[in-house]
Amino acid sequence: MKDATTHRDKRRTGADIHADYDRTLMAWLENFDAHWDEIADRYNERTQRMFRYYLSICAGAFRARHLQLWQVVFSMGREGRYDAPR
């Protein structure tokens, strides 16, 4: 990433989005629990517990600021501007 950020024609914008990711993981956990019955015949209880643990522990780590998540956007000569491809 260092090489990409040192090129003279590239501009970089970054944002720490860890707080949003905590909420995202909790929403995934809620959806997983709400729809478990739809996939339960393909997975066992151990898999369910491991996936619930993974989502919960990751959300807790983001909430406690032990993990970070950054979104970095590179642009060519368009300082201060980002056009989202949507």
Side-chain angles (χ1 to χ4, degrees):
M1 188 154 121
K2 181 181 176 188
D3 291 339
T5 61
T6 57
H7 190 278
R8 66 179 171 82
D9 293 331
K10 292 192 179 175
R11 306 290 187 257
R12 178 179 58 144
T13 303
D16 181 2
I17 57 174
H18 78 277
D20 296 323
Y21 214 65
D22 169 27
R23 289 190 297 268
T24 298
L25 288 160
M26 294 308 295
W28 288 351
L29 178 59
E30 185 177 323
N31 284 332
F32 179 75
D33 287 341
H35 296 280
W36 172 252
D37 291 340
E38 298 170 25
I39 61 170
D41 60 329
R42 290 179 274 172
Y43 301 96
N44 59 28
E45 185 182 338
R46 181 174 185 256
T47 301
Q48 179 191 25
R49 286 193 319 265
M50 287 191 321
F51 201 74
R52 290 192 89 258
Y53 176 77
Y54 172 77
L55 291 172
S56 300
I57 201 74
C58 287
F62 278 108
R63 192 174 305 145
R65 295 181 165 255
H66 291 295
L67 292 177
Q68 294 182 4
L69 180 65
W70 286 82
Q71 179 179 15
V72 178
V73 177
F74 295 94
S75 62
M76 296 290 285
R78 299 182 74 169
E79 191 168 347
R81 180 175 172 152
Y82 171 65
D83 298 316
R86 295 185 182 164

